[in-house]
Amino acid sequence: MKIMTAVESVEMNTSQKASSPSRVQLPENATLEEMQQSWKDQEEYINHLEEKLQNVSKTRDERKGGESTRREQLLIMRLTAKEQEIQELSAQLTEIKSSQSPSSALLRSTLLDPAVNLVIDKLTKQCDKLKKEVEEKDQELAAWKFTPDSASGKRLMARCRQLHQENEDLGKMIASG
């Protein structure tokens, strides 16, 4: 791309003005030849204006293209920064969650008061007992749906419960020695 001095620019503009067609004015008493020449001059003038318009639109498009590329790059940089911030925040969140949830060993070591320990043990046993009752009730409910003949299904489930209880008792006996 050539850089022009102010003098060269003025000379170029004046030479373009001299060579560029101008608006055609029709004389009042024009002959056929003058009209034909005016028509040609008018065509040249229209072509010249169309070229100017194309040049202006090209430069405008190039300028917009450069601006949009810069804007796109800026938006990509902002998006990257936001994604990095999200990753940092999610890492912080994970760290905070892990520090907030105490481990079971820590909870067991915090039970220092014997009275509280006794109450917690009773509640734990009661909870286990209730869980077993719920399991039995669920099995009983399933026995109703076991077969169309509900009496035989109930008997089968009762026998299963009895065998399960015996199995648990035997396991306790083996575990206690």
Side-chain angles (χ1 to χ4, degrees), residues 92-103 106-107:
Q92 287 178 0
L93 180 65
T94 304
E95 184 179 321
I96 289 172
K97 279 183 179 179
S98 66
S99 68
Q100 291 294 324
S101 61
S103 65
L106 178 64
L107 286 176

Side-chain angles (χ1 to χ4, degrees), residues 76-92:
I76 288 172
M77 287 176 24
R78 286 178 61 194
L79 179 65
T80 304
K82 290 291 183 186
E83 286 176 348
Q84 184 177 2
E85 185 180 348
I86 288 172
Q87 288 177 350
E88 290 172 358
L89 289 175
S90 66
Q92 287 178 0

Side-chain angles (χ1 to χ4, degrees), residues 118-143:
L118 218 146
V119 170
I120 289 177
D121 284 340
K122 281 186 177 181
L123 288 175
T124 305
K125 288 177 183 176
Q126 188 177 11
C127 185
D128 289 340
K129 179 183 172 187
L130 290 173
K131 284 181 183 177
K132 284 183 182 179
E133 284 183 26
V134 166
E135 186 178 315
E136 286 177 10
K137 296 298 179 186
D138 283 342
Q139 289 174 356
E140 200 173 306
L141 181 64

Side-chain angles (χ1 to χ4, degrees), residues 109-172:
S109 68
T110 58
L111 300 176
L112 300 175
D113 187 11
V116 173
N117 286 345
L118 218 146
V119 170
I120 289 177
D121 284 340
K122 281 186 177 181
L123 288 175
T124 305
K125 288 177 183 176
Q126 188 177 11
C127 185
D128 289 340
K129 179 183 172 187
L130 290 173
K131 284 181 183 177
K132 284 183 182 179
E133 284 183 26
V134 166
E135 186 178 315
E136 286 177 10
K137 296 298 179 186
D138 283 342
Q139 289 174 356
E140 200 173 306
L141 181 64
W144 280 94
K145 298 177 185 175
F146 186 72
T147 61
D149 183 20
S150 62
S152 63
K154 276 186 158 183
R155 275 186 266 129
L156 183 60
M157 288 307 295
R159 180 68 179 147
C160 286
R161 274 194 302 278
Q162 180 185 6
L163 291 173
H164 185 64
Q165 186 63 38
E166 288 175 9
N167 196 9
E168 284 183 1
D169 292 339
L170 287 174
K172 288 179 184 178

Side-chain angles (χ1 to χ4, degrees), residues 7-52:
V7 175
E8 290 174 336
S9 172
V10 169
E11 287 176 1
M12 188 173 164
N13 285 341
T14 55
S15 67
Q16 283 180 349
K17 286 181 182 175
S19 67
S20 67
S22 60
R23 187 174 182 145
V24 175
Q25 304 251 340
L26 292 176
E28 288 185 25
N29 296 330
T31 63
L32 179 63
E33 292 173 358
E34 290 175 339
M35 290 290 271
Q36 287 176 342
Q37 184 61 38
S38 295
W39 182 268
K40 289 178 185 178
D41 293 343
Q42 184 70 25
E43 284 291 321
E44 286 179 29
Y45 179 66
I46 290 172
N47 290 338
H48 175 71
L49 290 178
E50 287 175 345
E51 286 177 18
K52 270 184 156 181

